[in-house]
Amino acid sequence: VRIAPFVGRAPIGMSRSSRTVATAAFIIVVLAPCLAAATPASSPTPAAAPTPAPTPLRNIGGPGDYALRQKLVSELSRNPLLQHERFSVVMVNGGAVFSGEISTCAIKQQILTTAAVTRGVINVTDQMSVRRAELPDAALQKAIADRLSQAAKGLGLEHPSVEVRDGVATLEGSVPDLGSRLQVEGIVGTVAGVRQILDHLQPRDAPAPADDASRTDAVVAYLGDFHHFAYPAEISVSSKDGVVVLEGRCALYLGSQQAALLASFVKGTTGVDNRIEVDPSLMRRGAAVQKRP
């Protein structure tokens, strides 16, 4: 195969705001088959046995991926914070695979989230890395603790603690809900030099059922509340021995992942078997969540 770079640059504007933003540029990597040209030999030579072509590991740039890539490029280019970031995305039969070096965890999360809420993208794979600053872990830990201390009251963050080892920040404590949890993670992600965030913050609004039967009901109610989960979806829930099984379909990849995350917050849940399929054709409004028959 031949790896051909494609650089997308276009005037952009925020999709949900009227403010003007800067032009974003980044690399889109497209893999296409190579065409080999035969050259006549100057003198007869013994015919060599043909070398079998290697079996491709995956279908790169399958049907429909070109238009989907253009759609994703357009969405990413609306974010002015990506103007100086250089990363690659390969489309694999509806899945987006990102690679490259990004400046902060917060920027990386914005890239992944944009892909995950783009209708038509059925999977998102993160192979990006975040630059490690020349700062000791103690300095990073102090910077995170200072920012969380300033934001704790406004976000309802209780009993916060942070530990940084080799640039990986581990967060502990509790927050009112998933939205607050994501905000805290975003604040930590802006600290340059943090390579990865392990978020162990627990939402205080998560239900605490007593057994499997009530756990199923609790997950159904939790996901069925649009304040917690507002993605177009049709989901059935069951539970056995602490493991919650989610089945059905969701219009957006981020929705399928968030459903599993919310289910994991329910007290006593030991695991989540996420069988939700991403179906971009699903056009319903909001989520329909029920107990599995």
Side-chain angles (χ1 to χ4, degrees):
V1 296
R2 175 173 57 87
I3 301 179
F6 173 87
V7 179
R9 182 183 294 270
I12 51 177
M14 296 296 289
S15 59
R16 295 186 179 180
S17 172
S18 59
R19 59 182 179 178
T20 303
V21 295
T23 299
F26 45 87
I27 298 175
I28 306 300
V29 178
V30 182
L31 276 70
C34 243
L35 300 178
T39 304
S42 57
S43 59
T45 57
T51 302
T55 303
L57 297 179
R58 59 189 181 186
N59 182 14
I60 305 295
D65 277 343
Y66 178 79
L68 183 56
R69 183 189 68 234
Q70 293 299 96
K71 180 180 180 180
L72 181 54
V73 167
S74 176
E75 292 299 322
L76 289 168
S77 66
R78 296 177 188 276
N79 189 338
L81 297 178
L82 303 184
Q83 180 178 1
H84 302 295
E85 302 292 337
R86 296 181 65 83
F87 57 91
S88 301
V89 57
V90 176
M91 299 305 301
V92 186
N93 292 335
V97 182
F98 289 93
S99 60
E101 189 177 60
I102 306 301
S103 57
T104 66
C105 287
I107 294 294
K108 182 172 81 163
Q109 190 59 40
Q110 290 188 35
I111 294 170
L112 297 174
T113 300
T114 299
V117 297
T118 299
R119 188 178 284 267
V121 174
I122 63 173
N123 188 49
V124 179
T125 301
D126 174 21
Q127 296 179 350
M128 295 181 286
S129 60
V130 177
R131 300 186 195 106
R132 174 70 191 272
E134 296 299 325
L135 292 173
D137 288 338
L140 294 175
Q141 185 167 311
K142 184 179 185 306
I144 294 172
D146 289 345
R147 296 192 187 190
L148 292 183
S149 176
Q150 296 173 7
K153 184 176 181 180
L155 294 177
L157 177 60
E158 295 183 357
H159 312 295
S161 70
V162 58
E163 181 180 18
V164 179
R165 290 187 178 181
D166 193 25
V168 178
T170 301
L171 307 179
E172 303 283 353
S174 69
V175 287
D177 49 32
L178 176 61
S180 300
R181 186 179 191 266
L182 295 176
Q183 286 183 278
V184 171
E185 190 172 319
I187 291 172
V188 175
T190 62
V191 177
V194 174
R195 299 187 301 110
Q196 184 182 358
I197 300 172
L198 301 180
D199 192 347
H200 297 163
L201 296 173
Q202 292 296 313
R204 293 190 293 274
D205 66 349
D211 49 35
D212 278 329
S214 57
R215 180 172 298 105
T216 298
D217 293 335
V219 174
V220 169
Y222 200 28
L223 295 180
D225 186 341
F226 74 92
H227 293 98
H228 302 127
F229 186 79
Y231 295 97
E234 296 174 350
I235 302 173
S236 64
V237 181
S238 61
S239 177
K240 183 178 181 180
D241 299 329
V243 177
V244 175
V245 179
L246 303 177
E247 299 178 279
R249 56 183 183 148
C250 186
L252 302 174
Y253 177 73
L254 184 60
S256 69
Q257 300 304 296
Q258 185 167 311
L261 181 62
L262 287 167
S264 72
F265 292 150
V266 175
K267 304 298 189 295
T269 298
T270 59
V272 178
D273 184 359
N274 186 6
R275 303 177 186 176
I276 300 174
E277 296 182 358
V278 180
D279 182 0
S281 68
L282 182 62
M283 300 304 293
R284 67 168 296 115
R285 305 180 76 178
V289 186
Q290 63 180 2
K291 184 186 298 188
R292 183 182 179 184

